[in-house]
Amino acid sequence: MQFGAWAHDNAKWLLAGLVLLLILGGFPAQTRLSSIPIQAVAFGEPLASAIEVAGTVYVSAADFANCLGYSWDWDATLGNIYLNSQPSLSPFLPESPNYHGHRVLQVVLRDRQLTLPPPALLYNNLPYVPLRLASEVGLYVGWHAPSRTAYIGSRTTNQLPHIGSIANLRKILSQSLSYPRIIYDDFKGAKAETAVSDSQESSAAPTYSDTNVQVAGVDESDIVKTDGNYIYQVRSNSVSISRAYPISAMAVLATIKFTDSTFSPTELFLSQDRLVVIGQTYDFVYPQPQPFLGSSSKPSLMPDMRWWPAHNQGVSALVYDISDRSAPLLLRKVELEGSYLTARKIDTRVVLLANKYLYNNEPVPPYYRDTVNSDEATALDLSQVNYFPGGTYQSYLLTACFDLAETEQAATINAYLGAGNHVYMSESNLYVALAAWDSEETAIFKFTSAGLELNFAAKGKVPGHLLNQFSLDEYADHLRVATTSVRATQNNVYVMDAGLNIVGKVENIAPGERIYAARFMGKRGYLVTFLQVDPLFALDLSDPQNPHIVGALKIPGFSTYLHPIDEDHLLGIGRDTHVIEHKDQQGRVVSTQVLEAGIKLAIFDVGDSNCPTEKYSVIVGGRGSHSAGLYNHKAILFDAERKLLALPISLTAAHADPASYGHSAFQGALIWSVDPASGIEEMGKITHLTDEQIIKSGYFEQAGLAEIQRVLLIDGRIYAISEQNISAHRLADLELLGSIKLP
């Protein structure tokens, strides 16, 4: 029976038949069913070129290539479509030159000729491919009958596609063109060496400074933490717990030693009587199939596969009960295979993130370990592992969520093929930014955070690359993103809605320069770009659909970090610069050279956004001076109430020749009073170098164990922390009140 007659006699079954046969691979229709709308979607994004021919959904080769990030070309004479392939000189001659009235075309994918049933074809003089071609590269192709939508990966933007199987994982890895390397015994009884009484010491619970974080209420892991009474500190391959308050009782209470060289602690979290030690383990053991030749009594040319222990890098979060600070007790371990990316904590909930690189595109599942469940490593089921569409497929991004108040509750583990570069977290959402080295776009993935669940919510993309986590900011259900387009050398700010659709933008900011610092403050935003001078741009972001620059300031030097002092003032921390002009014999300037000089602090008045001004500035040290606070905001202590700034710092002396480096002049902590009304005034310096060290070597940039790494405030006193000492100082004159020599 002909299809037309069958359809006429069985009209009521037509739609059901169309759907079934489309899923199974097409049905014997002879023309495109133009009277019934058809849709095609790739990872939630519509493909406008969708057509239907003989029951199969086709899209243009250009749309297909663009949605997958492939290069493409085609030869009209030979009838070849090239996807991620070099054009071939050998023509492909199909057995049948026509398919339902359309010329048949050949697909060459990764330099491999494919015979597709149904074939690619020429439609309106343009090359078209069947949407199901995506299954050739390991992507899921589905059909949603109610909306008559065929889709690649996922139908909506609030879904992520699943890998599904090792076979699909192998296909996905084989098609990826990007190859980025992701851009990563208790000691008791030690007493204080010095204990100077301080008559102003309070008996009440002390106030103390927290880690300098980006988002209030979202804690970030760091090498030093305090609860006001104790200081917790990462030191080489150990973690020290020291009594800090009262000063008269300063002492080391315990040292958690990691004598096994396979684990190195890096950062800490603190929550009441729970201490989390995060570190990198270099012997994460998990089972992996290996060839096994069998017994000698039964020789075989084909080896069997047996599970053998494999060793890899991992990220460990060790949770300790520190209700007795002198005897920390290990409660649990949560481990992810891979290298440490970052971590966040909201109340007692911890989110740990790691990137696992897939060496040689090895199609293996990611592993994790949670000792609440088992001491053995567990592989994640690939049917539950998602991938980031259009991402780089040489890594997994793994996340672990666990509660410090519920140590018997299993962690929630998730994994995504695609990795992450920068992470921003608000109290309700987690954003992961992912940029491939060969792409001028950054993909952003949004996850809602509730309890121990991270649920994918939306995806979007913006032109350009991000500098760091401060390039992202969430405000009033919108995400603001600052990027630099490297190839075009321009800067941009994009505003995205809750679905990560771009609703407003400012582009081509400071052409020829790049972003050195970004800070968003409510309805306003600030950028620092640099080439020869430091332009500070003020942006009005009150209307998400109409962000715009309202003012700019150009001054020598540049800021690498911006910190809000109050609503009308910003503190900039960065570098001073010298511009050197090179002239020819006629005295004409033929080139210029920008040299970094000392460390610069500046107070910017941004009360009038249309006319920002540099109100005060100071420069300390000469060329070669350095501070961890230039590139790590957690190393900065800023107390708005006391108008106090402290930085760990290494200074060189200024040199008469701006191109030369002066001698090492100081290493320690430098403290300033920072007041928008009166300016920036140095209060003094603290160093942990001994007189013997200074006499023998002088001040030097790398002070070893004596290098001050963090500065804290406890009960109005300054505490300086190095791996060698913890010292407490009176705020008014920095007089030493007490210290501990660490073992």
Side-chain angles (χ1 to χ4, degrees):
M1 179 183 292
Q2 294 297 317
F3 176 77
W6 179 87
H8 183 269
D9 294 337
N10 300 274
K12 65 179 181 178
W13 301 107
L14 176 60
L15 183 58
L18 293 176
V19 173
L20 176 61
L21 289 169
L22 177 62
I23 296 173
L24 296 177
F27 49 84
Q30 295 185 3
T31 60
R32 178 187 170 200
L33 302 177
S34 58
S35 60
I36 304 176
I38 195 80
Q39 298 181 77
V41 168
F43 313 114
E45 302 294 340
L47 302 176
S49 62
I51 62 172
E52 182 183 351
V53 175
T56 297
V57 177
Y58 283 78
V59 296
S60 72
D63 275 358
F64 183 86
N66 289 337
C67 76
L68 298 184
Y70 289 175
S71 63
W72 84 283
D73 198 357
W74 85 293
D75 188 315
T77 302
L78 300 179
N80 286 352
I81 302 171
Y82 302 100
L83 298 170
N84 278 357
S85 302
Q86 295 296 324
S88 172
L89 297 179
S90 302
F92 173 80
L93 300 177
E95 294 180 2
S96 174
N98 290 287
Y99 177 77
H100 293 274
H102 302 282
R103 183 188 174 193
V104 170
L105 303 178
Q106 170 65 19
V107 172
V108 181
L109 176 62
R110 297 279 294 199
D111 297 321
R112 180 170 61 96
Q113 290 184 336
L114 302 179
T115 301
L116 302 177
L121 52 82
L122 189 68
Y123 177 81
N124 285 345
N125 292 319
L126 292 174
Y128 272 66
V129 296
L131 196 72
R132 73 186 62 181
L133 176 61
S135 64
E136 291 287 331
V137 294
L139 302 180
Y140 178 74
V141 181
W143 170 253
H144 185 250
S147 63
R148 287 184 52 77
T149 301
Y151 60 91
I152 298 174
S154 56
R155 187 172 61 87
T156 66
T157 55
N158 61 358
Q159 295 175 323
L160 280 179
H162 294 286
I163 293 174
S165 67
I166 287 289
N168 271 352
L169 175 59
R170 186 175 287 110
K171 286 183 179 180
I172 293 170
L173 293 175
S174 70
Q175 296 303 318
S176 179
L177 291 181
S178 302
Y179 298 90
R181 302 309 195 260
I182 296 303
I183 350 191
Y184 64 156
D185 300 288
D186 291 350
F187 178 87
K188 304 177 182 178
K191 299 300 182 182
E193 281 190 343
T194 308
V196 180
S197 62
D198 184 2
S199 60
Q200 297 181 351
E201 193 166 293
S202 171
S203 61
T207 58
Y208 57 91
S209 59
D210 289 317
T211 300
N212 181 33
V213 299
Q214 182 180 7
V215 179
V218 181
D219 194 15
E220 301 180 31
S221 52
D222 196 17
I223 59 174
V224 173
K225 292 286 184 178
T226 185
D227 55 15
N229 291 302
Y230 305 93
I231 291 175
Y232 311 84
Q233 176 188 2
V234 173
R235 300 174 53 241
S236 299
N237 287 320
S238 66
V239 172
S240 292
I241 301 176
S242 303
R243 178 180 292 280
Y245 181 88
I247 294 174
S248 57
M250 287 178 67
V252 176
L253 300 183
T255 299
I256 306 172
K257 295 183 179 179
F258 303 99
T259 55
D260 186 347
S261 60
T262 62
F263 177 78
S264 177
T266 55
E267 292 184 328
L268 306 170
F269 274 128
L270 181 65
S271 178
Q272 297 180 343
D273 288 337
R274 296 290 183 266
L275 178 68
V276 183
V277 180
I278 299 172
Q280 199 76 52
T281 180
Y282 303 98
D283 193 23
F284 183 88
V285 180
Y286 62 98
Q288 178 173 284
Q290 298 286 347
F292 179 70
L293 297 179
S295 65
S296 58
S297 62
K298 187 180 179 181
S300 173
L301 296 177
M302 296 299 295
D304 295 327
M305 300 303 291
R306 296 289 186 268
W307 290 97
W308 287 49
H311 302 258
N312 201 356
Q313 196 174 38
V315 179
S316 298
L318 313 181
V319 181
Y320 289 87
D321 180 344
I322 53 170
S323 50
D324 180 356
R325 264 61 177 183
S326 64
L329 176 65
L330 180 63
L331 298 177
R332 73 184 295 185
K333 294 182 182 180
V334 178
E335 295 181 291
L336 299 174
E337 189 183 6
S339 58
Y340 181 46
L341 177 58
T342 190
R344 298 289 189 273
K345 182 177 75 69
I346 300 176
D347 298 324
T348 59
R349 295 177 292 124
V350 173
V351 180
L352 180 70
L353 297 97
N355 282 319
K356 172 191 163 39
Y357 184 72
L358 294 175
Y359 294 95
N360 300 319
N361 278 1
E362 187 177 13
V364 295
Y367 283 80
Y368 74 96
R369 180 182 290 109
D370 182 2
T371 56
V372 166
N373 297 324
S374 171
D375 288 336
E376 301 299 322
T378 303
L380 282 167
D381 186 345
L382 287 179
S383 66
Q384 301 302 314
V385 176
N386 301 99
Y387 62 91
F388 294 148
T392 55
Y393 298 141
Q394 271 66 47
S395 297
Y396 287 111
L397 172 71
L398 287 87
T399 65
C401 303
F402 56 96
D403 196 325
L404 299 179
E406 302 290 342
T407 53
E408 296 302 318
Q409 183 179 4
T412 301
I413 310 294
N414 291 301
Y416 311 89
L417 190 65
N421 301 125
H422 302 291
V423 174
Y424 170 90
M425 190 171 188
S426 66
E427 291 190 333
S428 55
N429 296 305
L430 174 75
Y431 297 87
V432 177
L434 171 63
W437 66 271
D438 60 348
S439 170
E440 273 287 17
E441 288 187 328
T442 294
I444 300 174
F445 300 90
K446 176 182 178 181
F447 301 83
T448 58
S449 174
L452 298 186
E453 296 296 326
L454 285 177
N455 294 308
F456 179 73
K459 69 179 179 68
K461 58 185 178 181
V462 293
H465 290 180
L466 279 61
L467 173 67
N468 53 34
Q469 67 186 63
F470 288 92
S471 299
L472 297 164
D473 177 79
E474 184 186 73
Y475 178 77
D477 293 328
H478 287 80
L479 182 71
R480 290 86 67 87
V481 188
T483 71
T484 296
S485 298
V486 179
R487 293 172 190 165
T489 321
Q490 66 179 44
N491 309 287
N492 323 287
V493 172
Y494 298 96
V495 182
M496 311 179 84
D497 63 16
L500 294 188
N501 303 296
I502 295 176
V503 296
K505 60 185 178 180
V506 184
E507 295 182 311
N508 201 27
I509 303 170
E513 304 184 2
R514 69 175 179 87
I515 293 175
Y516 274 65
R519 194 76 191 225
F520 296 95
M521 296 166 53
K523 297 179 180 180
R524 292 186 287 181
Y526 302 94
L527 296 181
V528 171
T529 63
F530 180 73
L531 183 62
Q532 291 188 358
V533 292
D534 175 359
L536 172 71
F537 292 95
L539 296 97
D540 184 345
L541 305 172
S542 57
D543 181 358
Q545 297 182 359
N546 184 35
H548 55 281
I549 296 173
V550 292
L553 169 68
K554 291 195 175 185
I555 51 176
F558 59 87
S559 300
T560 57
Y561 176 74
L562 297 173
H563 192 94
I565 299 175
D566 54 38
E567 290 186 357
D568 296 329
H569 296 89
L570 276 175
L571 171 66
I573 301 175
R575 289 196 179 278
D576 187 28
T577 56
H578 291 293
V579 179
I580 306 298
E581 294 182 341
H582 300 285
K583 300 179 180 180
D584 60 15
Q585 294 180 348
Q586 286 73 39
R588 294 171 299 188
V589 177
V590 294
S591 65
T592 58
Q593 181 182 8
V594 180
L595 301 176
E596 295 184 1
I599 295 174
K600 179 180 178 179
L601 309 178
I603 297 177
F604 299 107
D605 187 336
V606 293
D608 180 0
S609 297
N610 296 300
C611 187
T613 60
E614 183 184 72
K615 201 171 182 180
Y616 302 100
S617 68
V618 298
I619 299 167
V620 294
R623 181 168 168 79
S625 297
H626 178 74
S627 170
L630 290 172
Y631 300 102
N632 183 357
H633 60 284
K634 292 180 282 189
I636 298 169
L637 169 64
F638 182 80
D639 188 291
E641 181 181 352
R642 293 180 174 84
K643 301 177 180 178
L644 178 143
L645 170 69
L647 290 177
I649 202 164
S650 299
L651 299 178
T652 62
H655 197 282
D657 179 4
S660 299
Y661 294 91
H663 64 274
S664 295
F666 176 78
Q667 201 298 312
L670 197 51
I671 296 90
W672 295 270
S673 169
V674 177
D675 189 339
S678 58
I680 304 170
E681 181 179 353
E682 183 179 321
M683 297 174 60
K685 298 183 179 76
I686 298 170
T687 184
H688 282 176
L689 275 80
T690 65
D691 292 341
E692 181 181 354
Q693 288 174 311
I694 296 171
I695 293 172
K696 183 177 180 180
S697 304
Y699 287 110
F700 53 98
E701 184 174 335
Q702 299 298 327
L705 297 179
E707 180 180 356
I708 292 178
Q709 299 172 315
R710 295 292 186 268
V711 184
L712 305 176
L713 273 174
I714 299 177
D715 196 40
R717 279 76 171 176
I718 288 279
Y719 285 73
I721 296 100
S722 68
E723 290 197 40
Q724 178 176 286
N725 294 87
I726 298 176
S727 59
H729 304 259
R730 187 159 51 210
L731 183 59
D733 55 10
L734 301 185
E735 179 184 344
L736 179 67
L737 300 176
S739 69
I740 306 169
K741 184 174 179 59
L742 297 169

